[in-house]
Amino acid sequence: HAAIAARDDAVIAATAHQAKGASANLGLRALASSLKDLELAAAVPDADLTSVMAEVEHKVEDALAFVTALTVA
Protein backbone atom coordinates (compact mmCIF):
# COMPACT_ATOMS: atom_id res chain seq x y z
CA HIS A 1 0.00 0.00 0.00
CA ALA A 2 2.98 2.32 0.40
CA ALA A 3 3.52 2.43 -3.37
CA ILE A 4 -0.17 3.24 -3.89
CA ALA A 5 -0.10 6.01 -1.29
CA ALA A 6 3.11 7.43 -2.75
CA ARG A 7 1.81 6.95 -6.30
CA ASP A 8 5.00 5.14 -7.26
CA ASP A 9 3.70 4.07 -10.64
CA ALA A 10 6.84 2.21 -11.72
CA VAL A 11 6.85 0.05 -8.59
CA ILE A 12 3.11 -0.53 -8.83
CA ALA A 13 3.30 -1.58 -12.49
CA ALA A 14 6.33 -3.84 -11.98
CA THR A 15 4.89 -5.54 -8.90
CA ALA A 16 1.48 -6.00 -10.49
CA HIS A 17 3.12 -7.44 -13.60
CA GLN A 18 5.12 -10.00 -11.61
CA ALA A 19 2.14 -10.98 -9.48
CA LYS A 20 -0.06 -11.20 -12.59
CA GLY A 21 2.31 -13.73 -14.15
CA ALA A 22 2.53 -15.80 -10.99
CA SER A 23 -1.25 -15.78 -10.60
CA ALA A 24 -1.77 -16.82 -14.21
CA ASN A 25 0.73 -19.66 -13.81
CA LEU A 26 -1.31 -20.92 -10.87
CA GLY A 27 -4.55 -20.70 -12.85
CA LEU A 28 -5.92 -17.83 -10.78
CA ARG A 29 -7.34 -16.00 -13.78
CA ALA A 30 -9.59 -13.55 -11.93
CA LEU A 31 -6.68 -12.44 -9.75
CA ALA A 32 -4.40 -12.16 -12.78
CA SER A 33 -7.03 -10.04 -14.54
CA SER A 34 -7.36 -7.65 -11.61
CA LEU A 35 -3.57 -7.35 -11.43
CA LYS A 36 -3.51 -6.54 -15.14
CA ASP A 37 -6.02 -3.77 -14.43
CA LEU A 38 -3.73 -2.44 -11.69
CA GLU A 39 -0.69 -2.63 -13.96
CA LEU A 40 -2.48 -0.69 -16.69
CA ALA A 41 -3.99 1.83 -14.26
CA ALA A 42 -0.52 2.70 -12.99
CA ALA A 43 0.19 4.20 -16.42
CA VAL A 44 -2.83 6.53 -16.22
CA PRO A 45 -1.92 9.68 -14.26
CA ASP A 46 -5.38 10.31 -12.79
CA ALA A 47 -6.45 6.68 -12.27
CA ASP A 48 -8.00 5.82 -8.92
CA LEU A 49 -5.45 3.22 -7.85
CA THR A 50 -7.07 2.80 -4.45
CA SER A 51 -10.26 1.36 -5.96
CA VAL A 52 -8.30 -0.85 -8.38
CA MET A 53 -6.19 -2.11 -5.47
CA ALA A 54 -9.37 -2.83 -3.50
CA GLU A 55 -10.49 -5.11 -6.33
CA VAL A 56 -7.09 -6.85 -6.32
CA GLU A 57 -7.44 -7.42 -2.57
CA HIS A 58 -10.91 -8.88 -3.09
CA LYS A 59 -9.55 -11.28 -5.71
CA VAL A 60 -6.68 -12.24 -3.37
CA GLU A 61 -9.25 -13.15 -0.72
CA ASP A 62 -11.15 -15.24 -3.29
CA ALA A 63 -7.93 -16.98 -4.36
CA LEU A 64 -6.98 -17.76 -0.76
CA ALA A 65 -10.44 -19.19 -0.11
CA PHE A 66 -10.12 -21.34 -3.24
CA VAL A 67 -6.70 -22.65 -2.24
CA THR A 68 -7.85 -23.28 1.32
CA ALA A 69 -10.82 -25.27 0.02
CA LEU A 70 -8.45 -27.39 -2.07
CA THR A 71 -6.22 -28.18 0.90
CA VAL A 72 -9.14 -29.05 3.18
CA ALA A 73 -10.78 -31.36 0.67
Side-chain angles (χ1 to χ4, degrees), residues 5-31:
R7 190 65 201 223
D8 191 339
D9 296 337
V11 169
I12 295 165
T15 303
H17 181 80
Q18 290 174 335
K20 175 185 72 176
S23 299
N25 286 337
L26 293 171
L28 303 170
R29 292 182 295 222
L31 178 56

Side-chain angles (χ1 to χ4, degrees), residues 2 7 20 26-29 34 37 39 43 48 50 52 60 70:
R7 190 65 201 223
K20 175 185 72 176
L26 293 171
L28 303 170
R29 292 182 295 222
S34 67
D37 292 343
E39 180 182 6
D48 180 8
T50 302
V52 179
V60 167
L70 289 177

Side-chain angles (χ1 to χ4, degrees), residues 28-57:
L28 303 170
R29 292 182 295 222
L31 178 56
S33 177
S34 67
L35 287 159
K36 179 180 178 181
D37 292 343
L38 181 59
E39 180 182 6
L40 295 174
V44 179
D46 60 345
D48 180 8
L49 296 181
T50 302
S51 66
V52 179
M53 186 64 195
E55 182 62 21
V56 169
E57 290 173 342

